[in-house]
Amino acid sequence: MRKLVLIVLVVFLSISAFSTIKVGAILPMTGGVAAFGQMIWQGVKLANELFPQVLGQDIEIVLLDNNSDKVQAVNTTRRAIEQDKVVAIIGQVISSNTIAGGAVAEENGVAMVSPSSTNPLVTQDRKYVSRVCFSDPFQGVAAALLAFNNMGAKNVAVFVDVEQDYAVGFANFFKDTAIELGGTVFYEYYKSGDQDFTAQISDALSKNADAFFIPGYYQEIALIAIQARQLGFYDPIIAGDGAAVPETIEIGGAAVNGLYFTTHYDSGSPAITDNAKLFVEAYTQKYGEAPGTFTALGFDTYLVIRDAIERAGSTDREAIAKAVRQTKDFPAVTGIITINESGDAIKSVAIVKIENGKFVYDTTINP
């Protein structure tokens, strides 16, 4: 009998030694915003390579593709929680998907930390959904200050993707600040996937717009810039963090030179933490190029969740979720991150300009 107990104990210890802590990564690896998901996945993988363990166990990243789709955002979240038994989730990426998938995380009491979903509704009235990026109220302020104070705009045409919560919310926060600054704005509407923006651009020109603001995603930002230049608009074009991927330049070409955008991070900005220095060195050595914004956000999200698990001292989902909301002064790549009781990160906004087909850091706006 004693021998049997001993055998069982040895087997149990052996299994424990090789067990992993599963963390989900629900990202758009395909579909309309796949560029964001692929860059974030690079950051998550790199962080996992550099910091592969927590609480003495390996961290296993379970990657699920939501196809850039709201329905799949829900289905993949449910699968990660119920089938894969993850203890926390990295994701999702765009606000609409995170709002949809976050409802499932909330229902099941599992921490979901978004690298890049900036709409206020992502965390509103939710206990388990947080983010490591800034939110649109502050990004809207920063973009408006850039347009009206730095660039001297007076009358801005705002191109709004009516199908994206991110774009609608961001546009409204920009407008509120613009009015406070004494400027005027008007909206030009479109839908995700549209290819022809000549009607909206022509209307904007007829209303004497002296700047365009595009709080959307990279495909439409690039196409609007191309068509605006073709129609003779050479005044400033400003965008948000949806422009912070190489595809903006690949699609837009020379038309996006001179475009400014608000974002979370640029590798040309001062590295203020050891993690920022490590990240740039490791990424550059591995890929032979400078890292992008969304890669840095993926790296940070992994580190924040790993830190929360460590501080929780267990793999209990509730304890991890509580620890995420207690993140304070964490030395991340994209800056010092504090997550408040509402799940929102308090951090700075970087301003980046496209010059000669490259992203060039311009300045930082602090909260």
Side-chain angles (χ1 to χ4, degrees):
M1 183 65 182
R2 290 178 62 185
K3 182 180 290 187
L4 178 61
V5 171
L6 181 61
I7 292 172
V8 171
L9 181 60
V10 169
V11 171
F12 174 77
L13 291 174
S14 298
I15 293 173
S16 297
F18 291 101
S19 65
T20 61
I21 296 174
K22 291 185 177 183
V23 174
I26 303 178
L27 308 172
M29 301 301 289
T30 58
V33 290
F36 296 145
Q38 291 164 9
M39 288 181 70
I40 287 171
W41 178 234
Q42 274 190 325
V44 172
K45 286 195 298 180
L46 184 60
N48 183 240
E49 290 170 12
L50 295 174
F51 303 96
Q53 291 192 326
V54 68
L55 304 180
Q57 293 178 270
D58 288 341
I59 300 173
E60 178 185 348
I61 304 298
V62 180
L63 174 64
L64 297 174
D65 178 11
N66 64 23
N67 307 118
S68 306
D69 179 75
K70 292 181 187 178
V71 174
Q72 288 304 313
V74 172
N75 294 340
T76 49
T77 304
R78 198 169 297 283
R79 173 185 160 177
I81 294 170
E82 296 177 358
Q83 296 182 31
D84 297 313
K85 307 297 183 184
V86 301
V87 300
I89 295 170
I90 297 168
Q92 298 190 25
V93 173
I94 64 172
S95 295
S96 298
N97 290 351
T98 308
I99 291 169
V104 179
E106 195 74 12
E107 173 190 326
N108 288 274
V110 177
M112 175 180 281
V113 183
S114 174
S116 55
S117 299
T118 54
N119 188 284
L121 295 176
V122 166
T123 57
Q124 184 174 298
D125 299 324
R126 287 188 169 169
K127 179 180 176 182
Y128 297 94
V129 183
S130 303
R131 59 180 132 219
V132 301
C133 56
F134 49 65
S135 60
D136 285 332
F138 182 52
Q139 184 174 203
V141 170
L145 288 171
L146 174 64
F148 291 93
N149 284 4
N150 295 26
M151 296 184 170
K154 303 294 183 185
N155 183 37
V156 178
V158 181
F159 289 74
V160 185
D161 184 341
V162 296
E163 294 187 342
Q164 299 296 340
D165 296 315
Y166 157 79
V168 174
F170 191 2
N172 290 336
F173 292 117
F174 176 90
K175 178 181 178 180
D176 291 344
T177 304
I179 293 171
E180 291 177 8
L181 295 172
T184 59
V185 303
F186 58 90
Y187 288 179
E188 300 288 351
Y189 297 102
Y190 68 92
K191 294 182 179 179
S192 299
D194 283 354
Q195 299 288 309
D196 186 356
F197 302 93
T198 54
Q200 295 95 322
I201 295 167
S202 296
D203 185 67
L205 294 177
S206 74
K207 294 175 180 176
N208 298 314
D210 57 6
F212 285 1
F213 176 54
I214 316 170
Y217 297 129
Y218 57 93
Q219 291 176 329
E220 289 81 12
I221 291 169
L223 291 175
I224 292 170
I226 291 170
Q227 293 168 34
R229 301 314 189 202
Q230 289 173 343
L231 291 172
F233 182 79
Y234 294 103
D235 286 322
I237 297 178
I238 302 164
D241 56 320
V245 291
E247 283 77 1
T248 302
I249 298 171
E250 292 171 9
I251 298 169
V256 295
N257 280 331
L259 182 146
Y260 282 83
F261 61 91
T262 53
T263 190
H264 311 266
Y265 166 83
D266 183 81
S267 58
S269 59
I272 61 173
T273 70
D274 289 340
N275 280 327
K277 295 173 186 175
L278 174 64
F279 167 71
V280 172
E281 290 171 1
Y283 184 92
T284 303
Q285 182 176 4
K286 183 168 184 175
Y287 295 102
E289 61 184 11
T293 297
F294 287 88
T295 306
L297 288 169
F299 193 95
D300 280 351
T301 310
Y302 176 94
L303 291 189
V304 165
I305 288 178
R306 177 180 177 273
D307 177 67
I309 295 171
E310 192 166 52
R311 285 185 288 106
S314 77
T315 56
D316 177 73
R317 288 171 166 175
E318 184 70 31
I320 294 168
K322 184 178 179 181
V324 167
R325 291 284 177 99
Q326 294 173 340
T327 299
K328 184 175 176 60
D329 297 331
F330 183 81
V333 174
T334 59
I336 304 299
I337 295 178
T338 292
I339 297 178
N340 65 19
E341 60 184 11
S342 299
D344 296 324
I346 310 302
K347 60 193 297 191
S348 302
V349 173
I351 306 297
V352 172
K353 181 183 181 182
I354 298 177
E355 286 185 356
N356 299 317
K358 295 182 179 180
F359 295 135
V360 179
Y361 170 75
D362 185 70
T363 190
T364 295
I365 298 177
N366 295 311

